[in-house]
Amino acid sequence: MSGGVPPSTTARRMLRGPRPQAVPLLVGRACTLVGLLDIAAGVFPRFRHSRMHALAEVLPGAFGPFAAALSLSAGVLLLLLAHGLRRRKRRAWRAAVALLPFGAAAQFTYRHSLAGVLISLALLAALLRHRDQFTALPDPRSRWRALANFVLMGAGSLALGLVVVSAHPHRMVGDPSLADRITHVLYGLFGVEGPVGYRGSTSWTVAFSLGALGLLTAVTTIYLAFRPEHPAARLTKEDEARLRALLAKHGGRDSLGHFALRRDKAVVFSPSGKAAVTYRVVSGVMLASGDPIGDVEAWPGAIERFMDEARAHSWTPAVMGCSETGGEVWTRETGLDALELGDEAVVDVADFSLAGRAMRNVRQMVKRIERAGYETRVRRVADLGDAELDRIRRAAADWRGTDTERGFSMALGRIGDPSDGDCLIATAHRPDAEPGEYGDLKAVLHFVPWGTDGASLDLMRRDRSADPGMNELLIVAALQAAPRFGITRVSLNFAMFRSALARGEKIGAGPVLRAWRGLLVFLSRWFQIESLYRFNAKFRPRWEPRFVVYRSSADLPRIGFAAMQAEGFVDLALPLPRSLRRRTGARRPCAHRVAEHDVRAA
């Protein structure tokens, strides 16, 4: 994994990546402030003792309620646009420029506030003055944003509507209960008069404001549902062919290289075409995984293209799971920082043996399962028939431990594709058992190539009714069969924060390290941090550190959340019920590199 990497022009650039500029950040915050002022102006009654009150009194009576609704709507929309302005989005700039004059007019008409008008116009002037800094292209999007908008805007409109209804206590008829006020809000969002009454024109003001909130929720949802999609890039057949050619020459450098062939990733190539970086955009974060593919001397060119793409869209750049060499190149070429994320377990086949005291537990478990009548088979995907491959695919999908597929940086996302004939499949069978839906098949392990002499574990699945220890059985079988396939090294699972867990349990560990280990053990109840480390350690591997590369510490929470989305631990979409997915064929390809059941059982 070592090798000299020549410096590139990227390293000599003064601009080391898409760092946020001061003006868009300030403008975004100012937009949030103006939005809140507009909402406040639309919610609370106008100042009766304002100097502008006498002038406003000569205007038609309907101007007041209309202005309140307009101010409220403008404020909500400006709050929605603030995030896009902070990210220098061109479309957010255009919408804010069009919206600010209406908000200023509403402030003047309803609230008679010169200060509110001047603040809105000052923000408009700043947007026009610095329009050249708002050039970022749109993000990938899908129809799910319409549903998310409906839920969030609906909840926000209900909460804001309660404030609107309750903001006029001296003009309210009687003392309506909370249930009456909620009912009034729900009716008002649909433009229907509710049970709460007001004296004077306040009834019209509240009605117009609630109607505006309901209309805003409906219009934004319809817009998001029917606007042209800007889908996330996908790996084309041509891109895949170029990546396979690079992997054929340089695939032995990184055990995660083959996972670049996931078809839900996009790719950028170096100008020479000798290197590439694959990525996916999640929640505004441009996530690369593993090291760049190809000739190490061409890595800087691919990294430069990656950073240019991030800058053009104002995405937050990040790299998950790169090696130490990859981290050094990324940080040197971009000015980003690196943080050790965990360790990858790599077993050298020549050194692996079940003999010895250290392997006693694994040896006893394997022998016990073999005595129970289980058999193992390790084959290339190309050597399996179509019927057996289909049975393995269906079994792996049904044995998945969660409704949401998991995997991104260390999962291929498919089994048995004709182009993946050099992948390995290890299966466990119990011929003497009563055949089930998938015959005598009880567990599956899938490995992808790591160069010409290695294999990298992709997924581990087992029948829940099978005996515990299926994964140990199949890993041992794969390691023992590896020489037949010319494989000298096997990459197993990735263990997050492995070094902290290992050092924290040793004698002499300090209080900070022990506290950190205690937190990781606590989090392992949900994320299998410690259990996966223990599972990997059974096979006496060597540990290869892996790193996350990031722009600033403030980006880490956002990168972590995006990574959890990409890996499938957080799913913001609403999935179909499992039984319905079976009938409609909507199941996605299985991909998970973590033992979801056997790790706990082991």
Side-chain angles (χ1 to χ4, degrees):
M1 295 262 182
S2 61
V5 184
S8 72
T9 57
T10 313
R12 297 190 292 270
R13 286 188 174 186
M14 293 180 63
L15 181 62
R16 305 304 295 271
R19 296 185 181 275
Q21 301 181 34
V23 171
L25 287 175
L26 290 175
V27 166
R29 291 169 182 168
C31 186
T32 301
L33 173 62
V34 173
L36 292 173
L37 289 176
D38 284 349
I39 291 174
V43 170
F44 298 105
R46 53 187 167 180
F47 294 128
R48 284 292 175 182
H49 302 290
S50 168
R51 294 179 180 180
M52 300 301 297
H53 176 65
L55 175 62
E57 285 297 313
V58 304
L59 297 175
F63 270 46
F66 274 125
L70 179 59
S71 181
L72 191 63
S73 300
V76 172
L77 289 174
L78 286 173
L79 287 181
L80 296 177
L81 293 172
H83 178 65
L85 291 174
R86 287 195 293 269
R87 295 182 58 209
R88 304 185 293 111
K89 293 297 184 181
R90 187 66 177 177
R91 290 184 176 180
W93 178 89
R94 291 172 180 167
V97 166
L99 193 62
L100 281 169
F102 292 99
Q107 285 263 14
F108 178 81
T109 304
Y110 183 60
R111 197 69 181 269
H112 322 319
S113 172
L114 283 177
V117 173
L118 291 177
I119 292 175
S120 297
L121 294 180
L123 176 57
L124 178 61
L127 285 171
L128 295 174
R129 170 68 177 81
H130 299 284
R131 59 184 176 275
D132 58 326
Q133 295 195 27
F134 297 89
T135 57
L137 300 174
D139 287 350
R141 55 180 180 248
S142 70
R143 305 300 185 199
W144 286 110
R145 296 234 5 221
L147 178 59
N149 178 84
F150 177 76
V151 173
L152 295 176
M153 282 288 292
S157 297
L158 179 60
L160 191 55
L162 280 174
V163 177
V164 171
V165 169
S166 305
H168 309 269
H170 300 299
R171 292 181 174 269
M172 195 176 291
V173 176
D175 186 20
S177 64
L178 178 61
D180 290 335
R181 299 184 189 194
I182 293 176
T183 302
H184 192 86
V185 172
L186 293 175
Y187 281 19
L189 293 177
F190 290 93
V192 179
E193 186 68 23
V196 180
Y198 298 90
R199 290 184 290 272
S201 62
T202 302
S203 179
W204 288 101
T205 302
V206 172
F208 281 3
S209 297
L210 294 178
L213 288 174
L215 182 63
L216 195 61
T217 301
V219 169
T220 54
T221 301
I222 292 172
Y223 167 74
L224 292 173
F226 291 99
R227 67 176 176 172
E229 286 193 276
H230 187 261
R234 291 290 185 266
L235 204 65
T236 65
K237 291 182 178 180
E238 179 184 355
D239 290 338
E240 184 175 339
R242 294 177 66 183
L243 285 174
R244 287 186 182 277
L246 292 177
L247 287 170
K249 294 181 180 179
H250 308 283
R253 176 173 292 277
D254 185 13
S255 64
L256 308 187
H258 199 86
F259 299 122
L261 298 176
R262 282 183 67 104
R263 288 165 186 160
D264 56 0
K265 290 182 178 181
V267 61
V268 289
F269 289 92
S270 66
S272 65
K274 294 181 179 180
V277 175
T278 59
Y279 67 91
R280 186 194 298 172
V281 179
V282 183
S283 297
V285 177
M286 190 176 183
L287 279 174
S289 58
D291 291 345
I293 306 300
D295 188 350
V296 66
E297 295 186 357
W299 283 8
I303 291 173
E304 182 177 356
R305 289 281 179 89
F306 176 89
M307 298 301 286
D308 287 343
E309 189 77 5
R311 188 180 303 111
H313 292 268
S314 191
W315 291 329
T316 299
V319 185
M320 300 297 297
C322 64
S323 68
E324 187 170 1
T325 299
E328 290 175 354
V329 178
W330 273 101
T331 55
R332 190 190 70 202
E333 295 298 320
T334 63
L336 303 179
D337 292 322
L339 178 69
E340 185 173 340
L341 188 61
D343 295 270
E344 176 187 15
V346 178
V347 178
D348 294 312
V349 173
D351 298 333
F352 177 77
S353 172
L354 286 177
R357 183 178 181 83
M359 298 296 295
R360 182 178 60 180
N361 289 339
V362 175
R363 182 173 63 250
Q364 290 177 346
M365 179 172 287
V366 169
K367 293 298 183 183
R368 176 178 58 79
I369 296 174
E370 289 177 341
R371 287 195 299 270
Y374 287 91
E375 298 177 357
T376 59
R377 302 168 194 168
V378 182
R379 293 160 290 175
R380 295 280 188 189
V381 167
D383 298 331
L384 275 71
D386 293 340
E388 187 173 7
L389 269 177
D390 180 67
R391 184 166 64 252
I392 291 173
R393 275 194 294 261
R394 290 187 292 109
D398 273 351
W399 296 341
R400 186 176 63 234
T402 60
D403 288 335
T404 303
E405 285 289 0
R406 294 178 179 174
F408 164 65
S409 56
M410 301 181 182
L412 185 60
R414 59 183 183 267
I415 296 179
D417 190 278
S419 60
D420 298 323
D422 51 352
C423 290
L424 280 179
I425 287 185
T427 54
H429 305 262
R430 192 172 184 182
D432 59 346
E434 183 178 349
E437 182 179 357
Y438 307 109
D440 61 359
L441 183 65
K442 296 299 179 182
V444 177
L445 263 60
H446 187 252
F447 297 82
V448 300
W450 174 10
T452 57
D453 64 345
S456 189
L457 181 59
D458 175 23
L459 64 80
M460 309 165 70
R461 301 283 167 80
R462 72 174 182 91
D463 187 344
R464 297 187 184 189
S465 64
D467 293 333
M470 290 292 102
N471 290 332
E472 288 90 337
L473 174 68
L474 287 181
I475 287 177
V476 169
L479 290 171
Q480 292 175 339
R484 285 196 290 116
F485 302 98
I487 293 174
T488 61
R489 51 187 179 167
V490 176
S491 169
L492 300 179
N493 293 300
F494 171 75
M496 288 187 64
F497 308 116
R498 195 277 315 175
S499 58
L501 289 169
R503 292 197 301 266
E505 65 183 354
K506 290 183 178 179
I507 186 172
V512 175
L513 190 56
R514 288 184 180 275
W516 175 226
R517 181 183 179 276
L519 176 61
L520 293 176
V521 171
F522 174 75
L523 294 176
S524 296
R525 299 179 182 182
W526 297 278
F527 296 108
Q528 296 185 350
I529 298 173
E530 185 188 28
S531 56
L532 194 55
Y533 157 58
R534 301 289 183 195
F535 178 81
N536 291 333
K538 291 180 179 182
F539 303 97
R540 318 300 294 176
R542 55 182 168 89
W543 299 100
E544 296 287 344
R546 290 281 173 174
F547 298 83
V548 56
V549 178
Y550 59 98
R551 184 172 57 191
S552 68
S553 298
D555 290 332
L556 283 175
R558 186 179 179 192
I559 292 171
F561 184 72
M564 292 179 71
Q565 286 181 261
E567 296 288 353
F569 289 101
V570 176
D571 191 0
L572 299 184
L574 299 178
L576 289 173
R578 194 177 182 91
S579 58
L580 184 59
R581 288 203 305 272
R582 285 198 189 101
R583 289 194 295 269
T584 60
R587 185 189 309 279
R588 290 174 287 177
C590 45
H592 189 196
R593 189 171 172 156
V594 176
E596 294 167 336
H597 309 296
D598 258 13
V599 169
R600 292 195 181 94

